PDB file of all heavy atoms in Angstrom:
ATOM      1  N   GLN I 187      -5.378   0.075 -16.746  1.00 50.00           N
ATOM      2  CA  GLN I 187      -6.726  -0.412 -16.476  1.00 50.00           C
ATOM      3  C   GLN I 187      -6.571  -1.918 -16.318  1.00 50.00           C
ATOM      4  O   GLN I 187      -6.574  -2.653 -17.283  1.00 50.00           O
ATOM      5  CB  GLN I 187      -7.664  -0.106 -17.656  1.00 50.00           C
ATOM      6  CG  GLN I 187      -7.812   1.374 -17.942  1.00 50.00           C
ATOM      7  CD  GLN I 187      -8.405   2.133 -16.761  1.00 50.00           C
ATOM      8  OE1 GLN I 187      -9.300   1.629 -16.090  1.00 50.00           O
ATOM      9  NE2 GLN I 187      -7.902   3.323 -16.498  1.00 50.00           N
ATOM     10  N   LEU I 188      -6.388  -2.340 -15.081  1.00 54.00           N
ATOM     11  CA  LEU I 188      -5.994  -3.724 -14.893  1.00 54.00           C
ATOM     12  C   LEU I 188      -7.167  -4.690 -15.000  1.00 54.00           C
ATOM     13  O   LEU I 188      -6.975  -5.883 -14.989  1.00 54.00           O
ATOM     14  CB  LEU I 188      -5.257  -3.877 -13.565  1.00 54.00           C
ATOM     15  CG  LEU I 188      -3.851  -3.255 -13.601  1.00 54.00           C
ATOM     16  CD1 LEU I 188      -3.285  -3.074 -12.214  1.00 54.00           C
ATOM     17  CD2 LEU I 188      -2.882  -4.085 -14.416  1.00 54.00           C
ATOM     18  N   LEU I 189      -8.381  -4.173 -15.079  1.00 53.00           N
ATOM     19  CA  LEU I 189      -9.520  -5.054 -15.358  1.00 53.00           C
ATOM     20  C   LEU I 189     -10.108  -4.667 -16.694  1.00 53.00           C
ATOM     21  O   LEU I 189     -10.563  -3.546 -16.875  1.00 53.00           O
ATOM     22  CB  LEU I 189     -10.604  -4.903 -14.291  1.00 53.00           C
ATOM     23  CG  LEU I 189     -10.311  -5.555 -12.956  1.00 53.00           C
ATOM     24  CD1 LEU I 189     -11.510  -5.411 -12.043  1.00 53.00           C
ATOM     25  CD2 LEU I 189     -10.008  -7.014 -13.133  1.00 53.00           C
ATOM     26  N   LYS I 190     -10.099  -5.603 -17.617  1.00 51.00           N
ATOM     27  CA  LYS I 190     -10.619  -5.292 -18.948  1.00 51.00           C
ATOM     28  C   LYS I 190     -12.116  -5.030 -18.894  1.00 51.00           C
ATOM     29  O   LYS I 190     -12.855  -5.780 -18.275  1.00 51.00           O
ATOM     30  CB  LYS I 190     -10.338  -6.454 -19.902  1.00 51.00           C
ATOM     31  CG  LYS I 190      -8.890  -6.549 -20.304  1.00 51.00           C
ATOM     32  CD  LYS I 190      -8.663  -7.712 -21.238  1.00 51.00           C
ATOM     33  CE  LYS I 190      -8.810  -9.035 -20.509  1.00 51.00           C
ATOM     34  NZ  LYS I 190      -8.575 -10.186 -21.368  1.00 51.00           N
ATOM     35  N   GLY I 191     -12.542  -3.948 -19.539  1.00 55.00           N
ATOM     36  CA  GLY I 191     -13.971  -3.704 -19.687  1.00 55.00           C
ATOM     37  C   GLY I 191     -14.681  -3.278 -18.420  1.00 55.00           C
ATOM     38  O   GLY I 191     -15.886  -3.111 -18.400  1.00 55.00           O
ATOM     39  N   SER I 192     -13.933  -3.075 -17.333  1.00 62.00           N
ATOM     40  CA  SER I 192     -14.604  -2.706 -16.093  1.00 62.00           C
ATOM     41  C   SER I 192     -14.832  -1.200 -16.051  1.00 62.00           C
ATOM     42  O   SER I 192     -13.983  -0.426 -16.477  1.00 62.00           O
ATOM     43  CB  SER I 192     -13.763  -3.115 -14.888  1.00 62.00           C
ATOM     44  OG  SER I 192     -14.329  -2.595 -13.725  1.00 62.00           O
ATOM     45  N   THR I 193     -15.972  -0.814 -15.514  1.00 66.00           N
ATOM     46  CA  THR I 193     -16.228   0.621 -15.352  1.00 66.00           C
ATOM     47  C   THR I 193     -15.962   1.040 -13.910  1.00 66.00           C
ATOM     48  O   THR I 193     -16.126   2.199 -13.552  1.00 66.00           O
ATOM     49  CB  THR I 193     -17.694   0.946 -15.702  1.00 66.00           C
ATOM     50  OG1 THR I 193     -18.521   0.063 -14.940  1.00 66.00           O
ATOM     51  CG2 THR I 193     -17.955   0.735 -17.186  1.00 66.00           C
ATOM     52  N   ASP I 194     -15.561   0.089 -13.086  1.00 72.00           N
ATOM     53  CA  ASP I 194     -15.279   0.382 -11.688  1.00 72.00           C
ATOM     54  C   ASP I 194     -13.991   1.198 -11.599  1.00 72.00           C
ATOM     55  O   ASP I 194     -12.927   0.729 -12.006  1.00 72.00           O
ATOM     56  CB  ASP I 194     -15.119  -0.942 -10.933  1.00 72.00           C
ATOM     57  CG  ASP I 194     -14.782  -0.753  -9.468  1.00 72.00           C
ATOM     58  OD1 ASP I 194     -14.482   0.399  -9.067  1.00 72.00           O
ATOM     59  OD2 ASP I 194     -14.815  -1.747  -8.721  1.00 72.00           O
ATOM     60  N   PRO I 195     -14.041   2.437 -11.068  1.00 69.00           N
ATOM     61  CA  PRO I 195     -12.826   3.255 -11.009  1.00 69.00           C
ATOM     62  C   PRO I 195     -11.741   2.628 -10.133  1.00 69.00           C
ATOM     63  O   PRO I 195     -10.563   2.934 -10.282  1.00 69.00           O
ATOM     64  CB  PRO I 195     -13.313   4.584 -10.414  1.00 69.00           C
ATOM     65  CG  PRO I 195     -14.587   4.261  -9.715  1.00 69.00           C
ATOM     66  CD  PRO I 195     -15.210   3.121 -10.478  1.00 69.00           C
ATOM     67  N   ASN I 196     -12.134   1.749  -9.210  1.00 72.00           N
ATOM     68  CA  ASN I 196     -11.125   1.117  -8.361  1.00 72.00           C
ATOM     69  C   ASN I 196     -10.431  -0.050  -9.049  1.00 72.00           C
ATOM     70  O   ASN I 196      -9.594  -0.719  -8.460  1.00 72.00           O
ATOM     71  CB  ASN I 196     -11.755   0.622  -7.063  1.00 72.00           C
ATOM     72  CG  ASN I 196     -12.174   1.772  -6.185  1.00 72.00           C
ATOM     73  OD1 ASN I 196     -11.634   2.878  -6.307  1.00 72.00           O
ATOM     74  ND2 ASN I 196     -13.147   1.541  -5.333  1.00 72.00           N
ATOM     75  N   ALA I 197     -10.798  -0.315 -10.297  1.00 76.00           N
ATOM     76  CA  ALA I 197     -10.208  -1.442 -11.013  1.00 76.00           C
ATOM     77  C   ALA I 197      -8.973  -1.024 -11.798  1.00 76.00           C
ATOM     78  O   ALA I 197      -8.528  -1.726 -12.678  1.00 76.00           O
ATOM     79  CB  ALA I 197     -11.237  -2.052 -11.953  1.00 76.00           C
ATOM     80  N   SER I 198      -8.427   0.136 -11.480  1.00 83.00           N
ATOM     81  CA  SER I 198      -7.215   0.546 -12.182  1.00 83.00           C
ATOM     82  C   SER I 198      -6.236   1.152 -11.188  1.00 83.00           C
ATOM     83  O   SER I 198      -6.623   1.621 -10.126  1.00 83.00           O
ATOM     84  CB  SER I 198      -7.544   1.579 -13.266  1.00 83.00           C
ATOM     85  OG  SER I 198      -7.988   2.769 -12.660  1.00 83.00           O
ATOM     86  N   VAL I 199      -4.965   1.106 -11.563  1.00 86.00           N
ATOM     87  CA  VAL I 199      -3.901   1.685 -10.745  1.00 86.00           C
ATOM     88  C   VAL I 199      -3.111   2.620 -11.648  1.00 86.00           C
ATOM     89  O   VAL I 199      -2.805   2.269 -12.787  1.00 86.00           O
ATOM     90  CB  VAL I 199      -2.979   0.571 -10.200  1.00 86.00           C
ATOM     91  CG1 VAL I 199      -1.730   1.160  -9.577  1.00 86.00           C
ATOM     92  CG2 VAL I 199      -3.721  -0.284  -9.187  1.00 86.00           C
ATOM     93  N   SER I 200      -2.806   3.815 -11.153  1.00 84.00           N
ATOM     94  CA  SER I 200      -2.009   4.757 -11.947  1.00 84.00           C
ATOM     95  C   SER I 200      -0.587   4.805 -11.404  1.00 84.00           C
ATOM     96  O   SER I 200      -0.385   4.670 -10.196  1.00 84.00           O
ATOM     97  CB  SER I 200      -2.609   6.162 -11.852  1.00 84.00           C
ATOM     98  OG  SER I 200      -3.936   6.159 -12.304  1.00 84.00           O
ATOM     99  N   TYR I 201       0.362   5.005 -12.286  1.00 85.00           N
ATOM    100  CA  TYR I 201       1.746   5.131 -11.809  1.00 85.00           C
ATOM    101  C   TYR I 201       2.558   5.950 -12.800  1.00 85.00           C
ATOM    102  O   TYR I 201       2.254   6.019 -13.979  1.00 85.00           O
ATOM    103  CB  TYR I 201       2.380   3.758 -11.593  1.00 85.00           C
ATOM    104  CG  TYR I 201       2.499   2.903 -12.835  1.00 85.00           C
ATOM    105  CD1 TYR I 201       3.661   2.930 -13.613  1.00 85.00           C
ATOM    106  CD2 TYR I 201       1.458   2.062 -13.234  1.00 85.00           C
ATOM    107  CE1 TYR I 201       3.773   2.148 -14.755  1.00 85.00           C
ATOM    108  CE2 TYR I 201       1.561   1.289 -14.369  1.00 85.00           C
ATOM    109  CZ  TYR I 201       2.727   1.334 -15.127  1.00 85.00           C
ATOM    110  OH  TYR I 201       2.835   0.570 -16.258  1.00 85.00           O
ATOM    111  N   TYR I 202       3.585   6.601 -12.260  1.00 83.00           N
ATOM    112  CA  TYR I 202       4.518   7.330 -13.120  1.00 83.00           C
ATOM    113  C   TYR I 202       5.371   6.335 -13.886  1.00 83.00           C
ATOM    114  O   TYR I 202       5.865   5.370 -13.307  1.00 83.00           O
ATOM    115  CB  TYR I 202       5.416   8.231 -12.272  1.00 83.00           C
ATOM    116  CG  TYR I 202       4.698   9.437 -11.730  1.00 83.00           C
ATOM    117  CD1 TYR I 202       4.252   9.469 -10.414  1.00 83.00           C
ATOM    118  CD2 TYR I 202       4.448  10.538 -12.536  1.00 83.00           C
ATOM    119  CE1 TYR I 202       3.583  10.569  -9.917  1.00 83.00           C
ATOM    120  CE2 TYR I 202       3.779  11.644 -12.052  1.00 83.00           C
ATOM    121  CZ  TYR I 202       3.348  11.657 -10.735  1.00 83.00           C
ATOM    122  OH  TYR I 202       2.677  12.749 -10.254  1.00 83.00           O
ATOM    123  N   CYS I 203       5.532   6.559 -15.193  1.00 80.00           N
ATOM    124  CA  CYS I 203       6.265   5.552 -15.961  1.00 80.00           C
ATOM    125  C   CYS I 203       7.755   5.600 -15.606  1.00 80.00           C
ATOM    126  O   CYS I 203       8.324   6.662 -15.356  1.00 80.00           O
ATOM    127  CB  CYS I 203       6.026   5.651 -17.456  1.00 80.00           C
ATOM    128  SG  CYS I 203       5.874   7.269 -18.091  1.00 80.00           S
ATOM    129  N   PRO I 204       8.381   4.416 -15.553  1.00 81.00           N
ATOM    130  CA  PRO I 204       9.733   4.296 -14.995  1.00 81.00           C
ATOM    131  C   PRO I 204      10.778   5.129 -15.729  1.00 81.00           C
ATOM    132  O   PRO I 204      11.707   5.635 -15.108  1.00 81.00           O
ATOM    133  CB  PRO I 204      10.041   2.792 -15.085  1.00 81.00           C
ATOM    134  CG  PRO I 204       8.958   2.187 -15.903  1.00 81.00           C
ATOM    135  CD  PRO I 204       7.795   3.112 -15.884  1.00 81.00           C
ATOM    136  N   GLU I 205      10.626   5.297 -17.045  1.00 78.00           N
ATOM    137  CA  GLU I 205      11.628   6.071 -17.785  1.00 78.00           C
ATOM    138  C   GLU I 205      11.644   7.514 -17.271  1.00 78.00           C
ATOM    139  O   GLU I 205      12.701   8.096 -17.044  1.00 78.00           O
ATOM    140  CB  GLU I 205      11.324   6.069 -19.292  1.00 78.00           C
ATOM    141  CG  GLU I 205      11.329   4.697 -19.953  1.00 78.00           C
ATOM    142  CD  GLU I 205      10.098   3.836 -19.618  1.00 78.00           C
ATOM    143  OE1 GLU I 205       9.078   4.381 -19.152  1.00 78.00           O
ATOM    144  OE2 GLU I 205      10.191   2.604 -19.809  1.00 78.00           O
ATOM    145  N   GLU I 206      10.444   8.067 -17.080  1.00 76.00           N
ATOM    146  CA  GLU I 206      10.351   9.444 -16.582  1.00 76.00           C
ATOM    147  C   GLU I 206      10.910   9.547 -15.170  1.00 76.00           C
ATOM    148  O   GLU I 206      11.601  10.496 -14.827  1.00 76.00           O
ATOM    149  CB  GLU I 206       8.884   9.897 -16.557  1.00 76.00           C
ATOM    150  CG  GLU I 206       8.250  10.025 -17.917  1.00 76.00           C
ATOM    151  CD  GLU I 206       8.858  11.171 -18.717  1.00 76.00           C
ATOM    152  OE1 GLU I 206       9.158  12.226 -18.123  1.00 76.00           O
ATOM    153  OE2 GLU I 206       9.035  11.000 -19.930  1.00 76.00           O
ATOM    154  N   VAL I 207      10.558   8.561 -14.347  1.00 78.00           N
ATOM    155  CA  VAL I 207      11.015   8.589 -12.957  1.00 78.00           C
ATOM    156  C   VAL I 207      12.529   8.532 -12.891  1.00 78.00           C
ATOM    157  O   VAL I 207      13.164   9.267 -12.128  1.00 78.00           O
ATOM    158  CB  VAL I 207      10.403   7.419 -12.158  1.00 78.00           C
ATOM    159  CG1 VAL I 207      11.027   7.325 -10.776  1.00 78.00           C
ATOM    160  CG2 VAL I 207       8.896   7.602 -12.040  1.00 78.00           C
ATOM    161  N   SER I 208      13.133   7.667 -13.722  1.00 78.00           N
ATOM    162  CA  SER I 208      14.598   7.558 -13.706  1.00 78.00           C
ATOM    163  C   SER I 208      15.250   8.875 -14.115  1.00 78.00           C
ATOM    164  O   SER I 208      16.228   9.311 -13.509  1.00 78.00           O
ATOM    165  CB  SER I 208      15.066   6.433 -14.640  1.00 78.00           C
ATOM    166  OG  SER I 208      14.622   5.194 -14.137  1.00 78.00           O
ATOM    167  N   LEU I 209      14.688   9.514 -15.144  1.00 78.00           N
ATOM    168  CA  LEU I 209      15.231  10.809 -15.574  1.00 78.00           C
ATOM    169  C   LEU I 209      15.090  11.842 -14.459  1.00 78.00           C
ATOM    170  O   LEU I 209      16.020  12.591 -14.151  1.00 78.00           O
ATOM    171  CB  LEU I 209      14.481  11.304 -16.822  1.00 78.00           C
ATOM    172  CG  LEU I 209      14.758  10.533 -18.114  1.00 78.00           C
ATOM    173  CD1 LEU I 209      13.790  10.989 -19.210  1.00 78.00           C
ATOM    174  CD2 LEU I 209      16.206  10.732 -18.558  1.00 78.00           C
ATOM    175  N   TRP I 210      13.906  11.846 -13.843  1.00 75.00           N
ATOM    176  CA  TRP I 210      13.651  12.796 -12.764  1.00 75.00           C
ATOM    177  C   TRP I 210      14.583  12.526 -11.581  1.00 75.00           C
ATOM    178  O   TRP I 210      15.150  13.444 -10.984  1.00 75.00           O
ATOM    179  CB  TRP I 210      12.184  12.678 -12.343  1.00 75.00           C
ATOM    180  CG  TRP I 210      11.781  13.707 -11.334  1.00 75.00           C
ATOM    181  CD1 TRP I 210      11.288  14.953 -11.584  1.00 75.00           C
ATOM    182  CD2 TRP I 210      11.852  13.576  -9.913  1.00 75.00           C
ATOM    183  NE1 TRP I 210      11.054  15.605 -10.399  1.00 75.00           N
ATOM    184  CE2 TRP I 210      11.397  14.788  -9.365  1.00 75.00           C
ATOM    185  CE3 TRP I 210      12.272  12.559  -9.054  1.00 75.00           C
ATOM    186  CZ2 TRP I 210      11.329  15.013  -7.984  1.00 75.00           C
ATOM    187  CZ3 TRP I 210      12.210  12.777  -7.689  1.00 75.00           C
ATOM    188  CH2 TRP I 210      11.743  13.983  -7.165  1.00 75.00           C
ATOM    189  N   ALA I 211      14.772  11.248 -11.256  1.00 74.00           N
ATOM    190  CA  ALA I 211      15.623  10.889 -10.124  1.00 74.00           C
ATOM    191  C   ALA I 211      17.069  11.315 -10.383  1.00 74.00           C
ATOM    192  O   ALA I 211      17.755  11.824  -9.489  1.00 74.00           O
ATOM    193  CB  ALA I 211      15.541   9.381  -9.865  1.00 74.00           C
ATOM    194  N   LYS I 212      17.543  11.116 -11.628  1.00 74.00           N
ATOM    195  CA  LYS I 212      18.901  11.548 -11.963  1.00 74.00           C
ATOM    196  C   LYS I 212      19.034  13.052 -11.807  1.00 74.00           C
ATOM    197  O   LYS I 212      19.980  13.550 -11.208  1.00 74.00           O
ATOM    198  CB  LYS I 212      19.248  11.149 -13.403  1.00 74.00           C
ATOM    199  CG  LYS I 212      19.681   9.701 -13.535  1.00 74.00           C
ATOM    200  CD  LYS I 212      19.957   9.327 -14.990  1.00 74.00           C
ATOM    201  CE  LYS I 212      20.213   7.817 -15.068  1.00 74.00           C
ATOM    202  NZ  LYS I 212      20.088   7.286 -16.420  1.00 74.00           N
ATOM    203  N   ALA I 213      18.048  13.770 -12.335  1.00 76.00           N
ATOM    204  CA  ALA I 213      18.105  15.233 -12.298  1.00 76.00           C
ATOM    205  C   ALA I 213      18.054  15.759 -10.864  1.00 76.00           C
ATOM    206  O   ALA I 213      18.572  16.831 -10.573  1.00 76.00           O
ATOM    207  CB  ALA I 213      16.953  15.816 -13.115  1.00 76.00           C
ATOM    208  N   ASN I 214      17.431  15.024  -9.966  1.00 71.00           N
ATOM    209  CA  ASN I 214      17.273  15.489  -8.586  1.00 71.00           C
ATOM    210  C   ASN I 214      18.154  14.740  -7.588  1.00 71.00           C
ATOM    211  O   ASN I 214      17.868  14.717  -6.390  1.00 71.00           O
ATOM    212  CB  ASN I 214      15.804  15.371  -8.175  1.00 71.00           C
ATOM    213  CG  ASN I 214      14.936  16.387  -8.900  1.00 71.00           C
ATOM    214  OD1 ASN I 214      14.818  17.518  -8.475  1.00 71.00           O
ATOM    215  ND2 ASN I 214      14.373  15.985 -10.026  1.00 71.00           N
ATOM    216  N   ASP I 215      19.220  14.117  -8.109  1.00 68.00           N
ATOM    217  CA  ASP I 215      20.169  13.397  -7.239  1.00 68.00           C
ATOM    218  C   ASP I 215      19.497  12.352  -6.363  1.00 68.00           C
ATOM    219  O   ASP I 215      19.866  12.164  -5.214  1.00 68.00           O
ATOM    220  CB  ASP I 215      20.942  14.377  -6.347  1.00 68.00           C
ATOM    221  CG  ASP I 215      21.862  15.252  -7.172  1.00 68.00           C
ATOM    222  OD1 ASP I 215      22.398  14.750  -8.169  1.00 68.00           O
ATOM    223  OD2 ASP I 215      22.017  16.435  -6.827  1.00 68.00           O
ATOM    224  N   LEU I 216      18.498  11.676  -6.916  1.00 69.00           N
ATOM    225  CA  LEU I 216      17.842  10.607  -6.173  1.00 69.00           C
ATOM    226  C   LEU I 216      18.125   9.242  -6.784  1.00 69.00           C
ATOM    227  O   LEU I 216      17.449   8.278  -6.467  1.00 69.00           O
ATOM    228  CB  LEU I 216      16.321  10.836  -6.144  1.00 69.00           C
ATOM    229  CG  LEU I 216      15.799  11.770  -5.053  1.00 69.00           C
ATOM    230  CD1 LEU I 216      14.322  12.042  -5.257  1.00 69.00           C
ATOM    231  CD2 LEU I 216      16.038  11.190  -3.671  1.00 69.00           C
ATOM    232  N   MET I 217      19.133   9.156  -7.675  1.00 66.00           N
ATOM    233  CA  MET I 217      19.475   7.842  -8.219  1.00 66.00           C
ATOM    234  C   MET I 217      20.229   7.051  -7.159  1.00 66.00           C
ATOM    235  O   MET I 217      21.182   7.560  -6.585  1.00 66.00           O
ATOM    236  CB  MET I 217      20.364   7.980  -9.461  1.00 66.00           C
ATOM    237  CG  MET I 217      19.633   7.917 -10.785  1.00 66.00           C
ATOM    238  SD  MET I 217      18.359   6.660 -10.931  1.00 66.00           S
ATOM    239  CE  MET I 217      19.222   5.381 -11.810  1.00 66.00           C
ATOM    240  N   PRO I 218      19.822   5.801  -6.901  1.00 59.00           N
ATOM    241  CA  PRO I 218      20.523   5.004  -5.900  1.00 59.00           C
ATOM    242  C   PRO I 218      21.952   4.645  -6.312  1.00 59.00           C
ATOM    243  O   PRO I 218      22.771   4.332  -5.470  1.00 59.00           O
ATOM    244  CB  PRO I 218      19.680   3.733  -5.779  1.00 59.00           C
ATOM    245  CG  PRO I 218      18.386   4.050  -6.422  1.00 59.00           C
ATOM    246  CD  PRO I 218      18.642   5.114  -7.425  1.00 59.00           C
ATOM    247  N   VAL I 219      22.230   4.644  -7.621  1.00 55.00           N
ATOM    248  CA  VAL I 219      23.582   4.314  -8.078  1.00 55.00           C
ATOM    249  C   VAL I 219      24.089   5.442  -8.952  1.00 55.00           C
ATOM    250  O   VAL I 219      23.320   6.241  -9.471  1.00 55.00           O
ATOM    251  CB  VAL I 219      23.616   3.005  -8.917  1.00 55.00           C
ATOM    252  CG1 VAL I 219      23.497   1.803  -8.020  1.00 55.00           C
ATOM    253  CG2 VAL I 219      22.532   2.996  -9.970  1.00 55.00           C
ATOM    254  N   ASP I 220      25.384   5.484  -9.104  1.00 51.00           N
ATOM    255  CA  ASP I 220      26.010   6.430 -10.014  1.00 51.00           C
ATOM    256  C   ASP I 220      25.354   6.278 -11.381  1.00 51.00           C
ATOM    257  O   ASP I 220      25.280   5.186 -11.930  1.00 51.00           O
ATOM    258  CB  ASP I 220      27.502   6.069 -10.093  1.00 51.00           C
ATOM    259  CG  ASP I 220      28.247   6.953 -11.059  1.00 51.00           C
ATOM    260  OD1 ASP I 220      27.590   7.786 -11.719  1.00 51.00           O
ATOM    261  OD2 ASP I 220      29.468   6.812 -11.156  1.00 51.00           O
TER     262      ASP I 220
END
C-alpha cells in the first residue's frame, strides 16, 4: 500500500515476493544463473 491511509485502490501495487519467485524460477529452470 504505497500511499499511507489512502482508500484509493489504485494507490497500491501488488507483486510476488522475490524469495518465492526465486524458488519458483529455480524449480522451473528459469534462473538466469546456475
